[in-house]
């Protein structure tokens, strides 16, 4: 039975990350609302909401993992179905926002696909979006509730690493603000790499600005895709005198040669969150630790539903955080 306090909330899950949806529902002491999602031979997505949502505060979770286009379409259809079924308010929970890296017009005739996705969600009937660690700060203007994994990562660092002997390192200049924020909160030093790219996902040269000699180097980034940058940065840090190297990334996409790169890079651990399913990746290497962020998302739902401030979560971990 649903908790009486949440009797007007309905939490739905798409097919991208049912494990995270169940963890959130468990923390809220809510059953997942029922919806049938099918893929008929035509290739279209068919959604049936099998319980009433009239006048409910509806939350729908789908994340940018696996078949991203399919999951995005699922989400839009589920939002539309709830909208025309007279839901009071509809919030999309997208821990890893689809197309977040296509956030600016960086060359002639390039689309701003992140904005297109935001428009699609709005037109489908979405009132709010809850997402985590957007790739670029300007995308925050598209959404109502952008969250950060930073407090959970800092808690992990304090629990598992000798923080006083660490240097926080940004793998590129674009991530400097994220890394300096963590360094400031831990009151430790900061360094960064200047990198030159031949093309996307391929770095030609990295130059370290700052010292890591005799220190534990902690790389911090928003996402780990092929891990080429993190792997090269880890090797450079070891050559520069770092005693150990850890890498932290919110979204573990881990495509292509990522697992091979992680195993051969010399880093102690790659620490990521469960915004994307990670059970398959964890079976391939013991160098991955996964931080559970379901408590952050559940608390965001609770605060959003009762009209409380969400900014508290930018600085504090609401519950004791464990490894997923």
């Amino acid at each position: 039975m649903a908790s009486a306090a949440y009797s007007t909330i309905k939490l739905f899950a798409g097919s991208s990350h049912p494990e995270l949806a169940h963890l959130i529902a468990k923390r809220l002491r809510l059953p997942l609302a029922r919806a049938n999602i099918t893929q008929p031979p035509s290739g279209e997505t068919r959604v049936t909401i099998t319980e009433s949502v009239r006048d409910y505060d509806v939350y729908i979770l789908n994340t940018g993992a696996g078949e991203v286009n399919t999951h995005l379409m699922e989400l839009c259809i589920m939002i539309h179905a709830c909208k025309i079924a007279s839901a009071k308010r509809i919030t999309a929970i997208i821990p890893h926002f689809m197309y977040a890296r296509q956030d600016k017009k960086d060359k002639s005739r390039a689309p701003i696909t992140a904005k297109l996705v935001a428009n699609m969600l709005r037109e489908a009937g979405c009132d709010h979006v809850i997402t985590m660690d957007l790739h670029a700060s300007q995308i925050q203007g598209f959404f109502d509730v952008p969250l950060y994994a930073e407090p959970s990562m800092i808690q992990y660092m304090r629990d598992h690493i000798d923080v006083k002997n660490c240097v926080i390192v940004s793998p590129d200049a674009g991530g400097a603000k994220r890394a300096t924020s963590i360094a400031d909160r831990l009151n430790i030093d900061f360094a960064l790499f200047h990198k030159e790219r031949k093309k996307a996902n391929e770095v030609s040269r990295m130059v370290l600005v700052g010292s890591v000699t005799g220190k534990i180097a902690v790389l911090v980034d928003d996402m780990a895709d092929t891990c080429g940058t993190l792997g090269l940065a880890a090797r450079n840090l070891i050559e520069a005198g770092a005693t150990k190297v850890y890498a932290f990334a919110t979204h573990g996409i881990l495509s292509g040669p990522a697992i091979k790169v992680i195993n051969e890079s010399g880093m102690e651990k790659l620490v990521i969150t469960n915004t994307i399913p990670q059970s398959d990746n964890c079976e391939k290497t013991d160098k991955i630790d996964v931080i559970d962020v379901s408590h952050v998302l559940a608390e965001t739902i609770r605060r959003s539903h009762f009209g409380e401030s969400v900014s508290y979560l930018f600085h504090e971990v609401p519950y004791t955080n464990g490894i997923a």
Side-chain angles (χ1 to χ4, degrees):
M1 294 292 291
S3 168
Y6 304 125
S7 59
T8 56
I9 290 180
K10 289 287 176 83
L11 174 61
F12 290 91
S15 61
S16 64
H17 202 344
E19 178 187 1
L20 180 58
H22 280 96
L23 287 171
I24 295 170
K26 184 178 179 181
R27 289 184 181 275
L28 290 173
R29 298 180 183 177
L30 275 175
L32 276 178
R34 299 186 305 276
N36 291 330
I37 303 170
T38 57
Q39 292 280 339
S42 64
E44 298 176 353
T45 297
R46 179 169 296 173
V47 173
T48 305
I49 306 297
T50 58
E51 56 187 80
S52 175
V53 295
R54 182 178 294 275
D55 290 331
Y56 277 85
D57 193 3
V58 172
Y59 295 82
I60 305 171
L61 185 143
N62 236 11
T63 195
E67 298 177 353
V68 175
N69 293 336
T70 298
H71 297 147
L72 174 59
M73 202 63 205
E74 277 180 15
L75 180 60
C76 288
I77 295 171
M78 292 178 79
I79 291 168
H80 179 65
C82 291
K83 186 72 174 179
I84 63 175
S86 301
K88 183 178 181 180
R89 184 176 68 164
I90 302 169
T91 302
I93 306 172
I94 316 173
H96 174 46
F97 188 76
M98 300 89 163
Y99 293 94
R101 283 180 286 186
Q102 298 184 36
D103 59 307
K104 59 184 178 294
K105 189 176 179 66
D106 56 357
K107 54 189 174 183
S108 298
R109 297 173 297 281
I112 307 175
T113 315
K115 177 62 175 175
L116 172 64
V117 173
N119 290 342
M120 289 171 63
L121 296 171
R122 184 192 64 214
E123 290 300 318
C126 184
D127 297 298
H128 301 286
V129 172
I130 297 171
T131 187
M132 182 163 278
D133 276 6
L134 290 161
H135 181 63
S137 58
Q138 67 263 25
I139 316 178
Q140 293 177 19
F142 304 165
F143 309 111
D144 301 282
V145 193
L147 299 173
Y148 301 93
E150 182 179 304
S152 298
M153 289 184 173
I154 289 174
Q155 186 65 47
Y156 178 99
M157 292 176 196
R158 286 173 171 158
D159 291 343
H160 297 88
I161 303 174
D162 180 11
V163 171
K164 293 181 180 179
N165 193 37
C166 284
V167 177
I168 303 297
V169 183
S170 173
D172 55 35
K177 184 176 180 180
R178 180 184 303 107
T180 52
S181 175
I182 293 174
D184 288 345
R185 290 180 63 177
L186 293 172
N187 195 27
I188 58 179
D189 290 337
F190 159 75
L192 65 83
F193 279 101
H194 168 68
K195 67 182 181 182
E196 299 173 358
R197 287 186 182 274
K198 291 180 180 177
K199 55 185 179 181
N201 282 336
E202 186 177 332
V203 178
S204 60
R205 192 167 72 98
M206 299 185 76
V207 179
L208 179 65
V209 181
S211 175
V212 296
T213 304
K215 297 283 190 176
I216 299 170
V218 179
L219 285 159
V220 177
D221 209 349
D222 65 318
M223 60 181 71
D225 190 351
T226 60
C227 292
T229 297
L230 290 177
L232 182 57
R235 289 191 290 273
N236 285 347
L237 288 168
I238 292 169
E239 290 174 4
T243 56
K244 293 180 181 178
V245 178
Y246 289 82
F248 284 74
T250 305
H251 309 297
I253 301 170
L254 305 184
S255 63
I259 300 298
K260 183 174 183 287
V261 171
I262 292 166
N263 287 330
E264 296 176 356
S265 66
M267 70 176 71
E268 297 290 315
K269 289 281 186 182
L270 171 63
V271 184
I272 51 183
T273 74
N274 60 340
T275 58
I276 295 172
Q278 297 297 342
S279 55
D280 290 345
N281 291 322
C282 289
E283 291 177 359
K284 297 173 184 176
T285 178
D286 60 0
K287 286 195 172 187
I288 294 176
D289 275 356
V290 181
I291 299 173
D292 178 20
V293 292
S294 64
H295 61 299
V296 178
L297 295 168
E299 180 66 2
T300 303
I301 291 172
R302 189 193 71 78
R303 286 173 175 269
S304 175
H305 179 67
F306 290 110
E308 299 176 16
S309 171
V310 178
S311 60
Y312 165 84
L313 302 177
F314 297 173
H315 309 288
E316 301 291 340
V317 179
Y319 305 116
T320 301
N321 187 25
I323 298 175

